Amino acid sequence: MWKTIIRRFLIMIPQLFVLSLLIFIMAKNMPGDPFTGKITPETDPARIEELREINGLNDPWYQQYARWVGNAFQGEFGNSYTYKVKVSTLIGERALNTFWLSLLTAVMLYAIAVPLGVLAGRFHNSWFDRGVVLYSFVSFAIPTFVLALILLYFFGYQLHWFPTTGSVDVREVPGSAGYYMSKIYHMILPAFTAAILGTVGIIQYLRTEVVDAKGMDYVRTARAKGVPARKVYSRHIFRNSLLPVAAFIGFTITGLLGGSIFIETIFAYPGMGQLFISSIASRDYSVITALVMLYGFLALLGSLLSDIIMSIVDPRIRIE
Amino acid sequence: MVKEKDNKKEQEIVSAPPTGFQVIWREFLKDKVAMFSLVLMVLTISGVFIASLFFDPAEVMKVSLRDKYAPPSTAHWLGADIGGSDIFGQLIIGAKNSLLIAIAITLITGIAGIFIGLACGYFGGWIDNMFMRIIDFFITLPSLMIIIVFITIVPKYTVFTFIIIVSIFGWTGIARLVRSKALSESRRDYVNASKTLGTNDFVIIFKEVMPNISSILIVEATLNFAGNIGIETGLTFLGFGLPPSTPSLGTLVAYANNPLVMSTYWWVWLPAALFILILMLSINYVGQALRRAADAKQRLG
């Protein structure tokens, strides 16, 4: 068990190393550097050259890379050239927004998927089951941005039920109860959109699991003993099939991260995904590199987490 | 009904076992939704290609300020955009571009994935090890972000470079699948027998192993096709796909980035969004039906 985790952890290191090298080289190749944006007819080209020299932009690339990695280890990713703050501060703020949005998404996701999956399995082949299968099929096939736009159009612009942009009402005082209520209110629609898109895996898994469990010996034994059907489902089947669902949390994290770029852009929600897109537009490459590294790290962590939970929950898939 | 079924069964016993296409056709006959999706898919795709013959891109994109945001009418079936260009014409040309790009990406990633997957599965050893490490690495990448960074650093950016960049990140899934199938297939007796006879490895791979996994390849290609439409339109929507001069479904949907267009001039972006939705649903459903036909355990008919 521990061996597996440590080995998986050790595999992450070269993967992160290659990712960092890749992203560093890509960032270096981006047209322009942080100072080209500051050039005006009045600026002295010599001054720009001086700035480049001071910031080490004229050093060979491997020296720059070594310096960058060394700083990254200390959580130091330089300054954002557009926001004029430390990258770590900037991302920290945005990451918190993304974190809350992801948390609400995960809550909604499990709240939708678990009952649908279990009930579809219990009433296998009924109209309800067919409806659930159709729902999970549609949510699988629909692209993130199409669903987000359509929901935003109807619930935001047509029905005016939810705000269409931002993460909080600017009139609210930070720290007040209304402030937090407004934050949650702003998150509902984007979180719901992301939740709908993430339910497929869990629903299908639970559904087949429950259908399979119906024929298992332990279920037949329980029924033969005279345990009422309701209890068989809630006590025996539900508990047995729910644990592996917890393992999906890692994949859920990875999936949510991938979708967050679309969701945050469309709902103009100030999270990491939206920051990434705006940083690309302004060529703010210290922010871009930091964000890609962070996303890569979180994706790796997510799959590691899934494997760990999976091996705890299901001894059959433990890797020797 | 029951009797008819029995008759059919009897006929099958005497005749040869159904071949690939018969199995697929039977699967579609059994499933009304799959049949409907198939018809819908064929109609939309062929409709787009036929209709695009009647639209001249230059004519459609012509700026006519008098028609700025014209609502749907007989002159403009789906209204007009900010430059007064006809939305319906853009939808047809854009859909054609999106479909062609998705087909190109599907072909490139499919061929690369099949070659690499077959090589890994059949030869094993260091080839397999090397490619599996590469694939493991690719899968952990935040690929959407890397594609976006890639696109911004390419100096001469065209439709062609877009296809190549997306393809670089798209071959791993199919390669993994083909590898796992080829791995089990290569240990079969017929392959061993063929090897003992001294058959060339390439002949075994392409003439003997590949036909046996072709059903999986068709399914995978169909689902990838739908996925690639999503990738192109999604990236274009974010502003990192096709250059603005090339109309695509993504560029039309991207108009929705403007809140005013989104709320008031719905005819500019909503048709393209719905078009993508219908296309994705029907292609995916056809893919699922093909998957059932390919996997005897899931078959309906």
Side-chain angles (χ1 to χ4, degrees):
Chain A
M1 179 64 197
W2 278 107
K3 249 179 162 173
T4 319
I5 294 173
I6 290 166
R7 210 183 58 190
R8 283 296 308 266
F9 212 82
L10 290 177
I11 294 174
M12 275 174 71
I13 295 168
Q15 281 178 326
L16 278 175
F17 171 73
V18 179
L19 176 64
S20 72
L21 198 60
L22 184 74
I23 195 66
F24 181 81
I25 292 169
M26 281 165 79
K28 278 288 142 204
N29 279 308
M30 286 187 122
D33 67 33
F35 301 111
T36 36
K38 289 183 188 151
I39 299 176
T40 56
E42 290 93 62
T43 18
D44 181 9
R47 172 73 190 141
I48 295 290
E49 198 46 44
E50 203 182 298
L51 276 174
R52 290 178 59 94
E53 192 60 49
I54 291 168
N55 284 280
L57 291 171
N58 291 337
D59 294 344
W61 72 270
Y62 50 87
Q63 277 182 20
Q64 294 189 40
Y65 175 69
R67 202 160 45 222
W68 178 68
V69 170
N71 287 334
F73 263 112
Q74 294 156 23
E76 182 59 62
F77 286 92
N79 290 308
S80 158
Y81 302 110
T82 36
Y83 294 91
K84 312 283 180 219
V85 288
K86 272 191 166 176
V87 171
S88 41
T89 320
L90 180 66
I91 292 182
E93 250 168 57
R94 298 300 192 101
L96 206 63
N97 278 342
T98 298
F99 170 76
W100 288 118
L101 182 63
S102 310
L103 190 71
L104 186 65
T105 306
V107 171
M108 284 189 176
L109 197 156
Y110 282 96
I112 297 171
V114 172
L116 285 185
V118 171
L119 289 173
R122 177 168 180 180
F123 303 106
H124 183 217
N125 273 340
S126 65
W127 279 109
F128 178 78
D129 180 34
R130 266 172 234 164
V132 170
V133 171
L134 184 72
Y135 157 81
S136 64
F137 175 75
V138 172
S139 73
F140 168 74
I142 190 168
T144 310
F145 71 102
V146 173
L147 180 70
L149 284 173
I150 291 173
L151 289 181
L152 179 64
Y153 177 67
F154 283 107
F155 293 110
Y157 286 105
Q158 293 301 304
L159 299 169
H160 301 289
W161 286 2
F162 295 100
T164 53
T165 58
S167 72
V168 68
D169 194 323
V170 285
R171 284 163 300 185
E172 296 289 349
V173 187
S176 68
Y179 181 80
Y180 292 111
M181 288 310 289
S182 166
K183 274 206 143 179
I184 294 174
Y185 184 47
H186 278 77
M187 285 193 298
I188 292 176
L189 198 55
F192 180 66
T193 313
I196 286 185
L197 294 161
T199 48
V200 192
I202 299 174
I203 289 183
Q204 281 180 350
Y205 182 86
L206 270 178
R207 183 176 168 273
T208 36
E209 194 75 355
V210 172
V211 171
D212 286 348
K214 279 179 181 176
M216 293 282 182
D217 285 342
Y218 71 90
V219 171
R220 279 197 303 199
T221 314
R223 301 209 78 158
K225 280 198 313 188
V227 180
R230 201 165 46 84
K231 248 190 171 165
V232 170
Y233 281 100
S234 64
R235 279 274 167 81
H236 300 265
I237 296 181
F238 188 58
R239 220 179 263 178
N240 271 311
S241 39
L242 202 59
L243 271 175
V245 168
F248 275 104
I249 204 113
F251 295 121
T252 310
I253 292 172
T254 320
L256 290 181
L257 286 174
S260 73
I261 292 180
F262 287 106
I263 301 274
E264 289 178 4
T265 306
I266 290 169
F267 291 97
Y269 183 85
M272 291 197 292
Q274 199 218 26
L275 178 65
F276 175 73
I277 298 294
S278 64
S279 303
I280 287 271
S282 56
R283 310 261 179 241
D284 199 347
Y285 68 70
S286 52
V287 180
I288 297 169
T289 45
L291 276 175
V292 177
M293 285 309 293
L294 187 61
Y295 269 74
F297 178 67
L298 290 176
L300 283 172
L301 209 62
S303 75
L304 177 67
L305 197 68
S306 283
D307 286 352
I308 294 174
I309 301 175
M310 208 94 95
S311 66
I312 294 171
V313 174
D314 192 345
R316 280 172 304 180
I317 41 180
R318 233 171 253 169
I319 316 153
E320 292 307 322
Chain B
M1 192 64 193
V2 178
K3 214 176 169 198
E4 211 180 281
K5 235 181 185 171
D6 283 343
N7 276 339
K8 251 190 183 162
K9 266 196 185 141
E10 263 170 36
Q11 277 170 11
E12 274 154 24
I13 291 166
V14 284
S15 69
T19 56
F21 280 106
Q22 277 171 316
V23 173
I24 293 171
W25 186 239
R26 244 178 17 191
E27 193 62 38
F28 279 98
L29 284 180
K30 281 272 168 180
D31 187 346
K32 286 197 196 81
V33 189
M35 193 58 145
F36 177 73
S37 305
L38 182 68
V39 172
L40 193 66
M41 184 186 95
V42 172
L43 280 183
T44 13
I45 295 176
S46 54
V48 162
F49 282 108
I50 294 166
S52 68
L53 299 174
F54 299 97
F55 287 95
D56 172 22
E59 187 66 26
V60 169
M61 297 305 287
K62 206 171 65 183
V63 175
S64 137
L65 288 177
R66 197 186 302 164
D67 290 329
K68 183 180 171 182
Y69 289 131
S73 65
T74 42
H76 296 294
W77 289 358
L78 286 172
D81 67 4
I82 188 165
S85 307
D86 184 47
I87 293 292
F88 184 72
Q90 289 190 55
L91 186 66
I92 296 294
I93 296 168
K96 190 191 80 173
N97 287 336
S98 290
L99 286 170
L100 285 177
I101 289 165
I103 290 170
I105 297 172
T106 310
L107 281 178
I108 294 174
T109 55
I111 291 170
I114 290 168
F115 265 95
I116 293 169
L118 281 173
C120 287
Y122 182 78
F123 294 112
W126 68 270
I127 298 181
D128 188 30
N129 267 327
M130 183 184 73
F131 276 111
M132 281 318 284
R133 290 295 85 75
I134 296 174
I135 290 172
D136 281 345
F137 174 64
F138 264 93
I139 283 169
T140 51
L141 286 182
S143 49
L144 184 70
M145 297 177 101
I146 307 239
I147 291 176
I148 291 174
V149 178
F150 231 114
I151 283 169
T152 45
I153 63 175
V154 170
K156 265 190 80 189
Y157 182 62
T158 57
V159 173
F160 181 70
T161 44
F162 176 79
I163 292 173
I164 297 297
I165 291 172
V166 175
S167 300
I168 290 174
F169 292 88
W171 58 274
T172 50
I174 191 152
R176 234 156 77 122
L177 185 87
V178 172
R179 172 190 175 264
S180 68
K181 293 285 164 195
L183 205 62
S184 64
E185 202 69 25
S186 305
R187 308 289 174 271
R188 295 277 174 88
D189 285 341
Y190 76 92
V191 174
N192 282 331
S194 202
K195 270 185 193 164
T196 344
L197 282 171
T199 319
N200 186 297
D201 279 339
F202 282 95
V203 177
I204 300 181
I205 292 178
F206 292 109
K207 287 219 160 148
E208 295 170 6
V209 174
M210 202 165 87
N212 281 328
I213 57 171
S214 59
S215 52
I216 305 286
L217 299 180
I218 295 169
V219 175
E220 206 47 29
T222 317
L223 295 177
N224 273 351
F225 177 51
N228 290 333
I229 295 175
I231 290 170
E232 182 271 310
T233 51
L235 281 169
T236 310
F237 169 78
L238 288 175
F240 303 102
L242 300 188
S245 53
T246 319
S248 98
L249 293 172
T251 34
L252 279 175
V253 182
Y255 280 110
N257 278 327
N258 176 346
L260 183 72
V261 175
M262 167 131 206
S263 55
T264 321
Y265 309 118
W266 55 267
W267 55 84
V268 178
W269 65 274
L270 194 57
L274 294 177
F275 190 88
I276 295 171
L277 181 61
I278 292 169
L279 207 58
M280 294 291 262
L281 282 176
S282 59
I283 299 173
N284 266 298
Y285 212 94
V286 168
Q288 297 293 346
L290 287 175
R291 171 169 288 170
R292 286 200 304 271
D295 181 0
K297 275 183 290 184
Q298 299 180 29
R299 249 173 238 169
L300 298 173

